[in-house]
């Protein structure tokens, strides 16, 4: 009888082990969050704010690892090839998922097939600014001035093929104007020249420009989001003049393709809960980030729409990176 009871007990334990996969105990060790850009930028800042709170929620450290290079493609490629166990995840952007596949002749990943969507976390507005001595005081005035002298005026961005470059290209397309693109190696050098008056116009991430705008060193003509942003309530959205204009630098979580649903659900819940924390919300607001917190399904649909939106704009711009 005792042997029968023991056999029955062992059988029950074995059945329980099969019914409770390793993912049920996830996470059992630290999670690596790959940020595919250098430390210090707005993407890195937001990632660290969110990762710190997710660590508290998950009961394991979410460790930010910066893997910059090739416009974010190197870090994204690392996650695409990682084991889909939830211990290596990507803090992705519009560049890694929607722009780079069209920009780079060779890329090591497919933005749809090689990733499992988890959540669209935040949107980071961009802003159209001019040097204070430039005559345009509104988006419409800029369009009118540019139309009078096609090709005379130039705009600065943080680099060829960057989201900010393509924000300018979309503006040109919708406004029907000819502006010359001047690419820089980052927002910092571009800001220096626009403030100095070397280049009259710039598209930039709002976090980089906002203090210069408030100090009067730059004049903001419009933010690139569909609606105005709380940090600059008096600055109109470009969309108020150019209907349908909307760009921003979004941040989202993805796992490698094949990540189990239980792990996706756990990471999604932790990310959304982190975004609801008052301290996190305030820090993100200070960084001009707009909280989203989408479902995995919404992120999957959003990713496809962003690829469809940006691929033709990249091709029309002629931007390409080897």
């Amino acid at each position: 009888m005792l042997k029968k009871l023991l056999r029955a007990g062992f059988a029950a334990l074995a059945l329980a082990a099969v019914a409770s996969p390793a993912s049920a105990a996830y996470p059992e060790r630290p999670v690596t969050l790959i940020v595919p850009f250098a430390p210090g930028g707005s993407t890195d800042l937001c990632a660290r704010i969110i990762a710190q709170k997710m660590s508290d929620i998950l009961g394991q450290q979410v460790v930010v690892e910066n893997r910059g290079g090739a416009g974010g493609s190197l870090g994204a490629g690392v996650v695409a090839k990682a084991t889909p166990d939830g211990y290596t995840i990507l803090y992705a952007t519009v560049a890694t998922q929607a722009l780079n596949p069209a920009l780079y002749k060779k890329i090591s990943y497919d933005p749809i097939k090689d990733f499992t969507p988890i959540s669209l976390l935040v949107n980071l507005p961009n802003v159209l600014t001019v040097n204070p001595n430039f005559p345009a005081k509104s988006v419409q005035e800029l369009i009118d001035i540019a139309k009078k002298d096609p090709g005379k005026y130039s705009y600065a961005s943080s680099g060829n093929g960057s989201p900010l470059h393509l924000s300018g290209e979309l503006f040109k397309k919708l406004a029907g104007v000819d502006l010359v693109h001047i690419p820089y190696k980052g927002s910092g050098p571009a800001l220096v020249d626009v403030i100095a008056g070397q280049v009259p116009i710039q598209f930039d991430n709002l976090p980089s420009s906002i203090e210069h705008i408030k100090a009067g060193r730059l004049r903001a003509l419009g933010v690139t989001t569909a609606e105005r942003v709380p940090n600059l309530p008096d600055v109109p959205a470009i969309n108020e003049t150019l209907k349908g204009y909307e760009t921003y630098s979004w941040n989202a979580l993805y796992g490698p393709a094949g990540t189990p649903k239980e792990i996706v659900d756990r990471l999604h819940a932790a990310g959304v809960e982190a975004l609801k924390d008052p301290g996190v919300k305030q820090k993100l607001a200070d960084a001009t980030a707009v909280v989203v917190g989408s479902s995995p399904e919404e992120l999957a649909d959003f990713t496809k729409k962003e690829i469809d939106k940006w691929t033709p704009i990249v091709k029309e711009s002629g931007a390409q990176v080897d």
Side-chain angles (χ1 to χ4, degrees):
M1 179 63 72
L2 181 58
K3 288 182 179 180
K4 287 183 179 180
L5 288 172
L6 286 172
R7 280 198 296 270
F10 286 131
L13 287 171
L15 188 61
V18 171
S20 302
S23 60
Y26 172 86
E28 296 180 296
R29 63 179 191 270
V31 175
T32 298
L33 177 61
I34 300 289
V35 174
F37 300 96
S42 55
T43 300
D44 179 66
L45 172 63
C46 292
R48 291 178 185 276
I49 292 169
I50 295 168
Q52 184 175 8
K53 191 61 185 179
M54 285 182 68
S55 298
D56 297 337
I57 295 165
L58 291 170
Q60 290 285 352
Q61 283 295 112
V62 177
V63 182
V64 171
E65 182 179 323
N66 296 93
R67 297 288 292 267
S73 295
L74 292 184
V78 169
V79 177
K81 295 176 177 62
T83 303
D85 56 7
Y87 290 102
T88 304
I89 57 177
L90 177 65
Y91 195 85
T93 69
V94 60
T96 61
Q97 306 308 111
L99 302 184
N100 290 355
L103 276 171
Y104 286 81
K105 291 180 181 178
K106 294 181 180 180
I107 198 165
S108 64
Y109 61 88
D110 183 294
I112 300 294
K113 296 178 181 178
D114 291 339
F115 297 95
T116 300
I118 297 171
S119 182
L120 176 62
L121 298 173
V122 298
N123 293 330
L124 286 161
N126 302 325
V127 63
L128 166 60
T129 61
V130 296
N131 180 279
N133 294 322
F134 190 73
K137 292 181 171 58
S138 69
V139 170
Q140 188 60 57
E141 287 183 13
L142 173 60
I143 294 171
D144 293 341
I145 290 169
K147 283 186 174 181
K148 286 180 182 178
D149 293 292
K152 178 179 179 180
Y153 300 103
S154 56
Y155 76 92
S157 85
S158 58
N160 186 42
S162 68
L164 300 165
H165 170 202
L166 297 169
S167 292
E169 294 303 307
L170 180 62
F171 180 87
K172 287 166 57 177
K173 179 181 178 181
L174 294 182
V177 297
D178 180 12
L179 299 172
V180 178
H181 175 231
I182 308 295
Y184 285 79
K185 292 183 178 180
S187 290
L191 277 167
V192 169
D193 275 7
V194 176
I195 290 170
Q198 300 299 317
V199 183
I201 306 161
Q202 182 179 11
F203 283 86
D204 190 22
N205 293 129
L206 184 55
S208 303
S209 286
I210 190 165
E211 294 306 318
H212 298 293
I213 293 167
K214 290 180 176 179
R217 291 185 289 270
L218 292 172
R219 179 188 300 132
L221 300 186
V223 292
T224 65
T225 42
E227 299 177 352
R228 301 187 185 201
V229 299
N231 306 68
L232 293 173
D234 295 330
V235 176
I238 295 172
N239 180 57
E240 294 175 31
T241 303
L242 285 179
K243 295 302 179 185
Y245 184 93
E246 182 181 12
T247 76
Y248 42 81
S249 297
W250 48 266
N251 295 175
L253 284 183
Y254 296 82
T259 302
K261 185 178 184 301
E262 296 87 352
I263 290 175
V264 171
D265 291 344
R266 184 83 173 99
L267 287 167
H268 170 260
V272 171
E273 187 178 341
L275 294 174
K276 293 178 180 178
D277 178 79
V280 170
K281 289 173 71 174
Q282 186 58 57
K283 289 177 182 177
L284 290 173
D286 292 342
T288 74
V290 179
V291 169
V292 182
S294 78
S295 70
E297 294 76 18
E298 288 169 336
L299 177 56
D301 183 59
F302 176 79
T303 304
K304 292 175 183 176
K305 288 179 178 178
E306 284 289 279
I307 291 170
D308 291 343
K309 172 183 177 178
W310 286 111
T311 298
I313 295 170
V314 171
K315 290 181 178 178
E316 286 176 23
S317 74
Q320 194 167 67
V321 185
D322 292 331

